[in-house]
Amino acid sequence: MEPVALLEDPHARAGSGWLGRMRWALAFGLSGRDTVVVALAGFMVRGGIVLLAVPSAVLPSVIGLAGALGVNAFGIDGRPTSSFFELVAVVSAVAALYLLLATLVGSLVDVWLIEAALDPDGRSPSRPRPLPSLDQLLSLAGIRAVCLVPLAVAVAWAGSRIYASAYTELTTPSSLGVPLAVRTVLGAADAVAFVLFVWLLEETIGAVAVRRLVLTRCGVWRAIGGALSQLVRRPITSAATVLLSYCASALAMAAGIAAIATAFDWCRVAARIQQPIPLSFGIGQLSTTRDIRPALFLLAALALAVAWLAASTLAGIASAWRSAAITAEVAEATSQAAGETSESRLGLSETTPATSGH
């Protein structure tokens, strides 16, 4: 697919102005089941599965953490031992392998969504699309890897603050009525907020750079430099696109997480009922009385499954919309830059008229 064809198409599809591009992006997010499924796959593999699983997770107690980490992980003085560092090394290696896999799969999803959104032939997103070349896939993965470096530095800086907060809450809890994870985050709120800010910034730069590479076929560093330049030259529309798309995703995730948490609480309540709940069926002598606790638990489990399905659907739609919104913004910026370059080469950008000499 030629980059020129991709750059010419957004004007016809997105309508006029920023609002037109956002409406077009929303229409793409709702364009079909395959779009939602592909966007959801990219969201899940990049960590979305953790967000959806948090409401259904039972946080371990202090004794449970001690049993999981082992009694030799920390000394009597509270300092980590060599066993703890070995555990950290193993967890870090597994996390690195997962990040590599997530980067490659996420790059495939990015290319599919970008080319489907700006396909000049108008093909349906449900139709098969060719796989990207290995060079393009490695370049996209390289962009994501470079953008993860600031996040890794931020996590390393915040790690000591979070560790200190967790150790304080383990030894001298501030409130036993609040879960340990919540108390740890509140105790290191500034460090957590800094990590979230760096994550949002690098995610934005990476998303713009990925789309510039796909649209213009440039290199990794040129794509990252172009992304930084675009955010500086178009701060209003870029910030509005990022804020709207990410806020919409946050609202969708909040609604999905709330539904999952509510349904999970119903399951826990239904599973902990000790007294039988009798209910009579039938008429007269043909009636029978049964304990309906199993039925209540099955209904609660069904509600949890429906909540997971609804949350996943909302996450897929929001991810597809976010991808298309950023794609349209990048396509608009790159097409304008290409037009300015063409005008400059043709001499159309001259501000003073040419005069003939005597």
Side-chain angles (χ1 to χ4, degrees):
M1 184 178 297
E2 294 296 330
V4 176
L6 283 171
L7 296 180
E8 292 175 351
D9 191 60
H11 296 289
R13 294 196 180 197
S16 58
W18 179 81
L19 289 177
R21 294 196 296 273
M22 294 304 102
R23 287 195 298 267
W24 168 80
L26 179 59
F28 176 78
L30 299 171
S31 60
R33 180 184 61 187
D34 291 335
T35 302
V36 176
V37 170
V38 172
L40 179 62
F43 171 78
M44 289 293 192
V45 77
R46 283 173 171 164
I49 184 65
V50 177
L51 293 177
L52 293 180
V54 164
S56 302
V58 179
L59 298 178
S61 61
V62 176
I63 297 177
L65 286 175
L69 295 176
V71 295
N72 297 324
F74 297 92
I76 300 178
D77 57 355
R79 296 180 179 179
T81 62
S82 58
S83 299
F84 176 79
F85 290 110
E86 292 175 359
L87 178 63
V88 170
V90 172
V91 172
S92 300
V94 173
L97 290 176
Y98 177 80
L99 285 176
L100 177 60
L101 176 63
T103 300
L104 293 176
V105 175
S107 298
L108 287 172
V109 172
D110 285 337
V111 174
W112 192 96
L113 290 173
I114 294 168
E115 294 187 349
L118 298 180
D119 192 339
D121 298 330
R123 292 185 297 177
S124 171
S126 61
R127 295 182 59 178
R129 312 193 66 83
L131 292 175
S133 64
L134 181 60
D135 291 342
Q136 186 183 41
L137 190 61
L138 292 178
S139 297
L140 295 175
I143 290 176
R144 294 294 186 180
V146 171
C147 291
L148 283 176
V149 173
L151 181 61
V153 174
V155 170
W157 173 82
S160 60
R161 302 287 303 274
I162 297 175
Y163 170 78
S165 176
Y167 179 75
T168 301
E169 292 297 335
L170 286 172
T171 54
T172 56
S174 59
S175 175
L176 296 178
V178 180
L180 174 62
V182 176
R183 286 183 277 128
T184 300
V185 171
L186 293 178
D190 55 345
V192 174
F194 179 72
V195 171
L196 290 177
F197 172 77
V198 174
W199 170 78
L200 180 61
L201 183 61
E202 65 87 12
E203 185 69 17
T204 301
I205 296 174
V208 174
V210 162
R211 283 151 181 82
R212 293 186 71 91
L213 187 145
V214 173
L215 294 178
T216 63
R217 302 296 192 266
C218 60
V220 172
W221 294 108
R222 187 174 179 182
I224 295 176
L228 294 173
S229 176
Q230 176 181 330
L231 295 177
V232 172
R233 297 180 61 182
R234 299 168 59 93
I236 297 178
T237 56
S238 297
T241 301
V242 170
L243 291 177
L244 178 62
S245 59
Y246 277 95
C247 285
S249 298
L251 290 176
M253 285 303 303
I257 289 175
I260 293 175
T262 301
F264 183 71
D265 287 340
W266 292 348
C267 290
R268 289 197 298 180
V269 171
R272 292 177 179 178
I273 297 176
Q274 300 295 329
Q275 298 296 329
I277 303 177
L279 184 64
S280 298
F281 300 91
I283 301 174
Q285 295 181 351
L286 299 178
S287 64
T288 182
T289 302
R290 299 292 182 181
D291 184 7
I292 63 170
R293 286 182 297 171
L296 290 178
F297 180 79
L298 289 177
L299 289 175
L302 179 61
L304 181 59
V306 172
W308 261 90
L309 180 61
S312 300
T313 303
L314 286 175
I317 293 174
S319 297
W321 179 27
R322 182 176 67 250
S323 175
I326 298 176
T327 298
E329 179 65 23
V330 174
E332 178 72 16
T334 51
S335 62
Q336 286 186 357
E340 292 174 359
T341 302
S342 299
E343 290 180 359
S344 177
R345 290 176 179 176
L346 293 172
L348 300 178
S349 59
E350 294 291 336
T351 57
T352 58
T355 57
S356 59
H358 295 283

